[in-house]
């Protein structure tokens, strides 16, 4: 009986020792870690006086790494691969997010990086980077991760004259393509508030991944539902991929009149997007004017990701 009792005690001690060892091992820092990102279309439209902010999620396979310590990061920037186009950033905070990615059975934890742009602008700029990188400089290394695309617009004002035109309707036509929700068109209602005719010359989308198909824009009477099929609305089979198109429009809106436009969109980039701004170029009594519509979230993404969608990079850890 005593031998059984001693055996039982020994087994309990072994179990406790193993549990303690595993706990210590789990809490100990790793010699290396992996990070990745979800490729996202980052779109910014603002006036030159505004301070711009951006939040970029990164995903780490450990909760103990130097890259999630803001004190370890000395410099930050957004850039293209060759760093010919660079926007300096100031890191404001790093916060643990709610999402956990599972990639090939390995968990990656979300960390949200909050930045402000530190570049000052004296004039309008347009910068489109189809593959934009987040670069973080730490004491003993730099981290450079491709995070998606960037469309950055700084303008003097959102409109040459707000009294000329009103936006009375804006909604997306969202269809499913390759099992993912995709914006295939935009419905826009424009009202002419002047006593003269307005001539719409161009409507452009402020996202490098999509283009407006000017030759297929239709003036419509009734506003469709967001989930209506784009081919049904156009009356023919719609091709989502971009082809060569015309460069200008000639849509006239009479004085005090409102017109509703169905604007088909074409995919030209690799990144799916669910928010973007728009620019309307028009002519009033021989003078060219512009009207900007700020970026707008049209729907919450349900994009499905596969392992090949992620670039996973391993770095040495300097956690302390």
């Amino acid at each position: 009986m005593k031998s059984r009792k001693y055996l039982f005690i020994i087994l309990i001690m072994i179990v406790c020792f193993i549990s303690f060892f595993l706990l210590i091992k789990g809490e100990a820092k790793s010699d290396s870690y992996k990070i990745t990102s979800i490729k996202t279309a980052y779109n910014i439209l603002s006036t030159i006086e505004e301070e711009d902010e951006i939040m970029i999620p990164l995903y780490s396979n450990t909760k103990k790494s130097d890259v999630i310590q803001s004190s370890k990061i000395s410099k930050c920037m957004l850039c293209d691969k060759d760093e010919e186009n660079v926007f300096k950033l100031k890191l404001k905070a790093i916060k643990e997010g709610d999402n956990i990615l599972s990639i090939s059975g390995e968990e990656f934890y979300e960390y949200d990086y909050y930045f402000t742009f530190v570049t000052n602008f004296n004039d309008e700029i347009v910068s489109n980077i189809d593959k934009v990188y987040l670069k973080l400089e730490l004491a003993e290394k730099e981290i450079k991760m491709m995070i998606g695309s960037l469309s950055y617009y700084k303008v003097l004002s959102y409109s040459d004259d707000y009294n000329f035109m009103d936006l009375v309707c804006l909604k997306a036509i969202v269809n499913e393509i390759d099992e993912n929700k995709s914006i295939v068109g935009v419905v826009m209602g424009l009202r002419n508030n002047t006593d003269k005719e307005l001539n719409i010359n161009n409507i452009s989308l402020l996202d490098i991944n999509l283009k407006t198909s000017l030759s297929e824009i239709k003036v419509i009477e009734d506003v469709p539902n967001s989930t209506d099929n784009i081919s049904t609305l156009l009356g023919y089979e719609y091709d989502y991929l971009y082809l060569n198109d015309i460069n200008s429009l000639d849509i006239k809106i009479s004085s005090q009149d409102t017109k509703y436009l169905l604007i088909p969109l074409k995919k030209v980039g690799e990144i799916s997007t669910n928010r973007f701004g728009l620019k309307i170029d028009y002519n009033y009594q021989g003078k060219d004017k512009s009207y900007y519509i700020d970026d707008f979230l049209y729907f919450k993404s349900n994009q499905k990701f596969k392992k090949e969608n992620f670039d996973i990079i391993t770095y040495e850890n300097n956690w302390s």
Side-chain angles (χ1 to χ4, degrees):
M1 291 296 292
K2 285 185 178 182
S3 60
R4 290 183 180 181
K5 181 179 179 180
Y6 290 142
L7 179 61
F8 179 75
I9 293 173
I10 291 171
L11 289 174
I12 292 296
M13 291 177 64
I14 292 173
V15 170
C16 290
F17 176 79
I18 292 174
S19 299
F20 179 75
F21 174 78
L22 292 175
L23 180 63
I24 294 298
K25 184 180 179 182
E27 289 295 321
K29 71 179 183 66
S30 301
D31 292 331
S32 64
Y33 59 88
K34 301 174 186 176
I35 61 170
T36 189
S37 69
I38 295 176
K39 306 299 186 297
T40 301
Y42 293 96
N43 301 317
I44 299 173
L45 169 64
S46 62
T47 63
I48 59 175
E49 294 88 3
E50 293 179 271
E51 182 181 65
D52 297 316
E53 299 178 346
I54 189 169
M55 189 278 282
I56 301 172
L58 295 181
Y59 294 82
S60 171
N61 70 331
T62 176
K63 292 188 176 184
K64 289 187 176 293
S65 63
D66 51 8
V67 75
I68 62 174
Q69 285 184 293
S70 57
S71 61
K72 296 280 190 179
I73 301 172
S74 58
K75 292 183 181 179
C76 323
M77 68 175 67
L78 291 176
C79 58
D80 58 11
K81 185 177 181 179
D82 297 326
E83 299 185 24
E84 295 177 352
N85 297 311
V86 174
F87 295 102
K88 294 181 181 179
L89 303 173
K90 180 179 180 180
L91 179 61
K92 305 293 287 186
I94 302 174
K95 299 180 181 179
E96 186 173 355
D98 297 326
N99 296 322
I100 299 176
L101 297 180
S102 180
I103 305 173
S104 299
E106 188 172 17
E107 290 187 337
F108 286 76
Y109 306 97
E110 178 186 0
Y111 288 90
D112 298 331
Y113 292 69
Y114 293 83
F115 302 97
T116 56
F117 286 74
V118 297
T119 306
N120 294 320
F121 300 98
N122 297 317
D123 204 352
E124 294 188 333
I125 70 153
V126 173
S127 181
N128 285 299
I129 305 175
D130 60 345
K131 293 182 179 180
V132 67
Y133 290 77
L134 174 64
K135 181 178 176 181
L136 305 174
E137 292 188 11
L138 289 78
E140 299 180 11
K141 63 173 174 287
E142 69 175 39
I143 289 173
K144 195 171 181 180
M145 170 69 64
M146 205 280 271
I147 59 170
S149 65
L150 175 68
S151 295
Y152 193 21
Y153 290 78
K154 298 292 286 186
V155 298
L156 297 176
S157 67
Y158 289 104
S159 176
D160 292 324
D161 195 320
Y162 280 105
N163 296 323
F164 287 179
M165 183 187 298
D166 277 339
L167 178 71
V168 298
C169 173
L170 182 64
K171 67 188 304 185
I173 303 299
V174 181
N175 291 176
E176 192 167 285
I177 297 177
D178 296 331
E179 299 184 340
N180 288 311
K181 288 166 64 177
S182 302
I183 299 178
V184 295
V186 171
V187 175
M188 179 187 297
L190 297 173
R191 175 176 171 77
N192 178 1
N193 294 326
T194 74
D195 58 358
K196 304 294 182 181
E197 184 177 75
L198 294 181
N199 189 5
I200 308 299
N201 298 324
N202 193 18
I203 300 174
S204 51
L205 194 144
L206 308 183
D207 184 305
I208 194 173
N209 301 286
L210 291 173
K211 280 186 177 292
T212 52
S213 182
L214 299 182
S215 61
E216 297 179 280
I217 291 179
K218 291 180 61 176
V219 178
I220 56 177
E221 296 295 328
D222 300 317
V223 177
N225 295 319
S226 293
T227 55
D228 285 352
N229 184 276
I230 186 68
S231 296
T232 302
L233 295 175
L234 291 172
Y236 55 85
E237 190 65 28
Y238 182 65
D239 187 355
Y240 189 44
L241 300 179
Y242 180 72
L243 301 174
N244 291 332
D245 197 20
I246 61 176
N247 296 318
S248 61
L249 288 173
D250 186 18
I251 297 176
K252 295 177 172 58
I253 306 178
S254 302
S255 172
Q256 305 301 315
D257 191 18
T258 299
K259 280 194 175 178
Y260 292 89
L261 307 176
L262 172 62
I263 307 168
L265 304 181
K266 299 284 191 177
K267 185 173 178 62
V268 294
E270 299 178 2
I271 311 299
S272 296
T273 182
N274 60 348
R275 68 181 305 153
F276 47 77
L278 292 154
K279 180 187 179 187
I280 303 168
D281 295 314
Y282 66 98
N283 187 278
Y284 174 72
Q285 289 191 298
K287 295 182 179 180
D288 293 329
K289 296 182 176 293
S290 297
Y291 183 95
Y292 287 92
I293 301 168
D294 205 353
D295 62 306
F296 179 78
L297 180 64
Y298 291 94
F299 68 90
K300 291 185 177 181
S301 177
N302 73 333
Q303 190 172 2
K304 299 176 181 178
F305 299 99
K306 299 177 181 178
K307 180 183 177 181
E308 52 266 28
N309 297 131
F310 298 97
D311 297 324
I312 300 175
I313 305 176
T314 301
Y315 292 95
E316 294 300 313
N317 201 354
N318 295 313
W319 171 273
S320 60

